[in-house]
Amino acid sequence: MAMNAAIYGPEGLTLTAWERDFFSDVQPFGFIIFARNIDTPDQVRRLTDALRATVDHHAPVLIDQEGGRVQRLRAPHWREYLPPLDQMDRARDPLRAQWVRNRLIAYDLLAVGVDANCAPLADIAEPTTHPFLYNRCYGRDADSVIAASRTCSDAHLAGGVLPVLKHIPGHGRATTDSHLELPHVDVSHAELSIHDFAPFKALNDLPMGMTAHIVFSDIDPDHCATTSVRMMDVIRYDIGFDGLLMTDDISMQALSGSIADRSAASIAAGCDVILHCNGDAGEMQAVAQAAGDMTAAAQTRANRVLDARKPPQNVDIAGLEAELAALIG
């Protein structure tokens, strides 16, 4: 059966009868869970098992588990982490601490059936970066961001969890929060290519990526990256990313128009998959219809993603916990 070109987040701690029927009918590529879906480890495992049971493929289940403010699995059942940039600044060996941290995160995720994490962030922290993003970044220059993002990705893959590269082609220059309004970046294409886009080009081999809801005026003044044909050409050809490309959350207020219009515009521009996060049943129905089945190219990329999951490598979790504590003091 063809996959619906979407990733959906369920409403609560367990699936409703409607959600079971809807997911079984439309066959989404994958799912995503949030704090509203999380109580205990056993409950999360039951939920991820139930989500996968609704579809005919071993669907990826995603989460945002960056550490710091953006962390869905929290104490008392899970570890808490410093904001990424704070850890990079504080650690005695920043890249080793980055690997250990993300290997521990991958371990926690896979234990509850989550096998894809919306990380690394390859956005470069700028002096003007909006606070919603700033300390979620890994560095303040392209080279440090590339090294830390690759380390994060390697740690996830070693733990059997797929990384999702975000926010393509770069969110660091945004001075507003795209959850609330649409940022505009007025910098030349040439400068963006040298600076902002460089980390994404260096990481263009990762299996999945997420777009940025940002207007880059010198490339396409009329559309944000998610719905811009011109920006999709930049992502696919200049940056060279040929992984499965999902939108950032299609219900964010940076975007205008109906959920259906946003979804259709994103697919028409060249996104492979619509990410819908808020669990609203009516919106999910609109996304399913507007997104439709995956294109042949998207299905090929999706199959590569499904094949990219590998068993986790053995690791001493207690040893890594002690090492991380020593590295960050």
Side-chain angles (χ1 to χ4, degrees), residues 27 93 105 110 112 166 193 223 230 232 243 264 269 273 289 300:
Q27 294 287 305
D93 182 343
I105 287 173
L110 202 62
V112 294
K166 67 184 188 186
S193 295
H223 303 90
R230 295 178 195 169
M232 289 300 149
V273 174
Q289 184 171 1
T300 296

Side-chain angles (χ1 to χ4, degrees), residues 121-139:
L121 279 74
D123 309 305
I124 300 172
E126 308 284 353
T128 56
T129 300
H130 191 278
F132 100 93
L133 181 67
Y134 184 80
N135 68 358
R136 296 165 58 194
C137 298
Y138 301 158

Side-chain angles (χ1 to χ4, degrees), residues 246-260:
M246 68 186 71
T247 69
D248 203 345
D249 182 10
I250 205 68
S251 59
M252 287 165 61
Q253 294 179 39
L255 303 178
S256 60
S258 69
I259 292 294

Side-chain angles (χ1 to χ4, degrees), residues 279-323:
D280 181 272
E283 289 189 6
M284 286 194 281
Q285 288 176 307
V287 169
Q289 184 171 1
D293 291 339
M294 281 188 167
T295 65
Q299 189 66 63
T300 296
R301 296 184 185 110
N303 291 339
R304 290 204 303 262
V305 168
L306 300 179
D307 291 342
R309 292 175 293 192
K310 305 298 181 187
Q313 299 171 10
N314 292 331
V315 70
D316 176 5
I317 292 300
L320 290 182
E321 287 180 313
E323 183 181 0

Side-chain angles (χ1 to χ4, degrees), residues 15 28 73 82 112 126 144 151 172 199 202 227 233 249 301 323-324 326:
L15 290 188
L73 303 180
L82 291 170
V112 294
E126 308 284 353
S144 61
T151 300
T227 59
D233 284 344
D249 182 10
R301 296 184 185 110
E323 183 181 0
L324 183 62

Side-chain angles (χ1 to χ4, degrees), residues 26-70:
V26 303
Q27 294 287 305
F29 166 72
F31 305 97
I32 187 167
I33 61 171
F34 290 88
R36 67 176 186 268
N37 308 120
I38 294 166
D39 183 16
T40 67
D42 286 345
Q43 171 269 322
V44 178
R45 184 77 209 206
R46 288 193 298 270
L47 177 60
T48 58
D49 286 346
L51 286 166
R52 287 197 174 95
T54 65
V55 295
D56 296 334
H57 58 284
H58 190 71
V61 178
L62 290 74
I63 198 169
D64 286 297
Q65 188 76 355
E66 300 171 9
R69 286 180 295 109
V70 181

Side-chain angles (χ1 to χ4, degrees), residues 21-326:
D21 291 343
F22 173 73
F23 296 149
S24 179
D25 181 48
V26 303
Q27 294 287 305
F29 166 72
F31 305 97
I32 187 167
I33 61 171
F34 290 88
R36 67 176 186 268
N37 308 120
I38 294 166
D39 183 16
T40 67
D42 286 345
Q43 171 269 322
V44 178
R45 184 77 209 206
R46 288 193 298 270
L47 177 60
T48 58
D49 286 346
L51 286 166
R52 287 197 174 95
T54 65
V55 295
D56 296 334
H57 58 284
H58 190 71
V61 178
L62 290 74
I63 198 169
D64 286 297
Q65 188 76 355
E66 300 171 9
R69 286 180 295 109
V70 181
Q71 181 171 335
R72 313 307 184 195
L73 303 180
R74 289 195 170 274
H77 298 294
W78 295 278
R79 302 169 185 84
E80 299 273 350
Y81 297 93
L82 291 170
L85 191 58
D86 293 357
Q87 180 177 299
M88 293 296 294
D89 287 343
R90 178 172 168 177
R92 188 173 70 246
D93 182 343
L95 290 181
R96 177 60 185 173
Q98 173 80 331
W99 191 92
V100 173
R101 165 203 186 99
N102 285 287
R103 183 63 184 85
L104 289 169
I105 287 173
Y107 178 85
D108 284 345
L109 297 184
L110 202 62
V112 294
V114 176
D115 60 1
N117 192 13
C118 296
L121 279 74
D123 309 305
I124 300 172
E126 308 284 353
T128 56
T129 300
H130 191 278
F132 100 93
L133 181 67
Y134 184 80
N135 68 358
R136 296 165 58 194
C137 298
Y138 301 158
R140 301 172 182 86
D141 61 84
D143 287 344
S144 61
V145 169
I146 289 167
S149 296
R150 179 62 69 184
T151 300
C152 172
S153 301
D154 289 347
H156 278 84
L157 291 167
V161 174
L162 294 170
V164 179
L165 178 64
K166 67 184 188 186
H167 304 86
I168 303 174
H171 213 302
R173 291 188 193 265
T175 59
T176 57
D177 182 351
S178 56
H179 293 88
L180 305 175
E181 57 184 306
L182 180 62
H184 287 71
V185 172
D186 298 318
V187 175
S188 72
H189 189 171
E191 184 176 346
L192 291 167
S193 295
I194 293 169
H195 183 68
D196 304 62
F197 300 170
F200 297 94
K201 188 169 186 175
L203 295 152
N204 64 15
D205 59 311
L206 294 188
M208 288 191 285
M210 178 188 294
T211 64
H213 295 329
I214 299 178
V215 172
F216 295 89
S217 300
D218 195 41
I219 299 172
D220 187 341
D222 300 318
H223 303 90
C224 74
T226 303
T227 59
S228 170
V229 174
R230 295 178 195 169
M231 185 54 71
M232 289 300 149
D233 284 344
V234 170
I235 292 170
R236 292 302 192 192
Y237 302 113
D238 296 352
I239 292 173
F241 181 77
D242 192 35
L244 188 79
L245 188 62
M246 68 186 71
T247 69
D248 203 345
D249 182 10
I250 205 68
S251 59
M252 287 165 61
Q253 294 179 39
L255 303 178
S256 60
S258 69
I259 292 294
D261 289 343
R262 300 174 187 185
S263 300
S266 301
I267 295 294
C271 289
D272 295 315
V273 174
I274 304 301
L275 178 65
H276 182 267
C277 296
N278 66 24
D280 181 272
E283 289 189 6
M284 286 194 281
Q285 288 176 307
V287 169
Q289 184 171 1
D293 291 339
M294 281 188 167
T295 65
Q299 189 66 63
T300 296
R301 296 184 185 110
N303 291 339
R304 290 204 303 262
V305 168
L306 300 179
D307 291 342
R309 292 175 293 192
K310 305 298 181 187
Q313 299 171 10
N314 292 331
V315 70
D316 176 5
I317 292 300
L320 290 182
E321 287 180 313
E323 183 181 0
L324 183 62

